[in-house]
């Protein structure tokens, strides 16, 4: 599939925003976060800012962005519509949670915070199911896709929270441990997804697609088009094996290994400028790694329609 930057940015930025928002909604009511309204304002602004930026970026992928509102009406059958409804609905409890936390104290924000966290998780799950529900793409139609999306959202949110606490000089051991654990969980989920893609049997082959397998091996004699058409541009994107291996190495290093090492360093360093700097570097590395991971997520996906353009299997 063609890796559109608007969707890469949307899934990366919104995922991080929802991950941070969910952690704020879960932790603030228990008094685990600084009571300063300034910290709460900065944390909520960052989380909601990433969400809004991601949602606006997704509109750039539409042919007619002004008609985006119509997608909300198909929530009974479309995961894209469910994602839109969940994304819009999340702002209501998030607004109540923000007012309660900033002006009424963290103790009052409990129910609204937990609802906000739940809605954030639901929205990320709906985003993942947009792809996991597409059966013609075996790299997507498997349980590892929602697991990876949720785990990466938690990881980026935890890294952002650890960095925020480090910047204000209130880094806590538990936040670094949370970041470290979330990196390990996301890494395991992503490796599981890659392993599944490498070992799962093809959904279809040229023989099964044409129904001519009983005769023998099927191969393309002549291209159906003299030049690339829409299907080939959007669903026949080719990524070289060398580039895929290199990008997986970058993902493992930037998204997982470096954030884990830097979060461990922040944990050992304790509260202070060094801890905050290490936590910020972990966020920067993870951002680069998640973008590489998301680019590969689209580029390595192979639609069964490519069978009719010469692909042996899909």
């Amino acid at each position: 599939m063609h890796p559109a930057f608007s969707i890469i940015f949307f899934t990366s930025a919104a995922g991080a925003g929802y991950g941070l928002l969910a952690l704020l909604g879960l932790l603030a009511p228990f008094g685990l976060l600084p009571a300063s309204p300034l910290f709460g304002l900065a944390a909520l602004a960052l989380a909601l800012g990433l969400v809004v930026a991601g949602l606006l970026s997704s509109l750039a992928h539409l042919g007619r962005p002004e008609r985006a509102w119509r997608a909300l009406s198909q929530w009974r059958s479309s995961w894209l519509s469910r994602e839109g409804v969940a994304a819009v609905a999340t702002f209501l409890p998030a607004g109540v949670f923000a007012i309660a936390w900033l002006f009424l104290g963290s103790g009052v924000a409990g129910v609204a915070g937990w609802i906000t966290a739940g809605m954030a998780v639901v929205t990320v799950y709906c985003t993942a199911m947009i792809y996991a529900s597409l059966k013609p793409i075996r790299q997507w139609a498997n349980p590892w896709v929602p697991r990876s999306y949720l785990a990466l959202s938690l990881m980026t949110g935890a890294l952002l929270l650890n960095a925020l606490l480090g910047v204000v000089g209130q880094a806590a051991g538990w936040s670094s441990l949370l970041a470290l654990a979330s990196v390990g969980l996301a890494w395991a989920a992503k490796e599981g997804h890659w392993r599944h893609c490498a070992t799962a049997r093809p959904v279809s082959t040229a023989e099964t697609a044409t129904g001519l397998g009983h005769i023998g091996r099927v191969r393309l004699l002549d291209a159906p088009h003299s030049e690339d058409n829409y299907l080939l541009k959007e669903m026949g994107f080719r990524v070289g094996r060398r580039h895929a291996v290199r990008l997986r190495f970058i993902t493992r290093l930037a998204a997982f290994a470096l954030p884990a090492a830097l979060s461990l360093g922040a944990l050992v360093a304790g509260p202070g400028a060094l801890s905050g700097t290490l936590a910020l570097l972990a966020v920067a590395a993870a951002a680069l790694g998640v973008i590489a991971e998301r680019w590969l997520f689209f580029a390595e996906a192979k639609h069964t329609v490519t069978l009719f353009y010469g692909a042996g299997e899909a």
Side-chain angles (χ1 to χ4, degrees), residues 10 72-73 108 132 146 149 156 194 196 201 255 298-299:
F10 158 60
L72 302 180
S73 64
V108 186
Y149 266 69
T156 48
W194 282 337
H196 174 85
R201 296 180 61 184
F298 290 100

Side-chain angles (χ1 to χ4, degrees), residues 9 179 225 291:
F9 179 79
H225 300 281
I291 289 175

